[in-house]
Amino acid sequence: MRAANGDAVVRVENLHKYFGTNEVLKGINMEVDPGEVVVIFGRSGSGKSTLLRCINFLEDPTDGVIEVAGIRLEGGHRTRGKREEIRRLRTHAGMVFQQFNLFPHMTALQNVMEGPVIVKGFKADTVRPMARELLAKVGLADKADAYPIHLSGGQQQRVAIARALAMEPDVMLFDEPTSALDPELIGEVLNVMRSLATELHMTMMVVTHEMGFAREVASRMCFFHEGVILEEGTPTEIFEHTRFPETQKFLDAVL
């Protein structure tokens, strides 16, 4: 998949990932430009989440190259001993998981402040106003002092989004951010993601089955099938002019 110009925030070149003898990613090539929202969809086990985890080096690519915000790393044995480069890359790529992964002993505000204070070394007094502003941006200004146990799943996920944004990333990676939520809570998370795309023009890679969100917000969509990008295009191209029966079968199942 090629982006529109040479100023890509994310570049993935010939990415392969094996788990044992199972090749989960089979030579993925893609670029994501500033401000693009790329929705990645497909069946379970097709490699979608593994792609995001390789971009953030939560999984070490077996082979290939990952570049985020100009930080370029080759996968496989070549990344051993490159912890500092990986740490730097991660500061440019915010990650939001299926499970919210908040620190249970910290308030919502403390969760949002943790990254800038611990990773970037900023003073708490400097970070606190920014963290409050981010909580307000995700609609949780009144929950700053609440602990995760007292928040709904949707509220916890919105805190997780604010926490990722606090690191001022160049790209946000969303790994099925609504899949663990009850149906009535999905909308509040999607609304926050929608505002990130439309108001802040945040560069985003989103693994999701929420096709309504994809139709409305995505710049491009990529259908993953058995470890490859089988089909990609604009939402109009994907929904109205699907080229592959595998893509159409998936859409029929989820729409």
Side-chain angles (χ1 to χ4, degrees), residues 5 51 75 131 141 218 228 231 233 239-240 244:
N5 61 52
L51 170 67
V228 301
E231 183 166 3
F239 289 114
E240 299 180 14
F244 290 88

Side-chain angles (χ1 to χ4, degrees), residues 235-248:
T236 298
E237 289 168 341
I238 293 295
F239 289 114
E240 299 180 14
H241 307 289
T242 305
R243 295 183 293 123
F244 290 88
E246 293 88 348
T247 314
Q248 189 61 57

Side-chain angles (χ1 to χ4, degrees), residues 223-240:
F223 178 64
F224 268 56
H225 180 69
E226 297 182 354
V228 301
I229 301 174
L230 181 65
E231 183 166 3
E232 66 164 306
T234 65
T236 298
E237 289 168 341
I238 293 295
F239 289 114
E240 299 180 14

Side-chain angles (χ1 to χ4, degrees), residues 174-187:
F174 291 89
D175 185 9
E176 300 194 41
T178 61
S179 65
L181 299 177
D182 293 331
E184 66 269 22
L185 301 177
I186 290 174

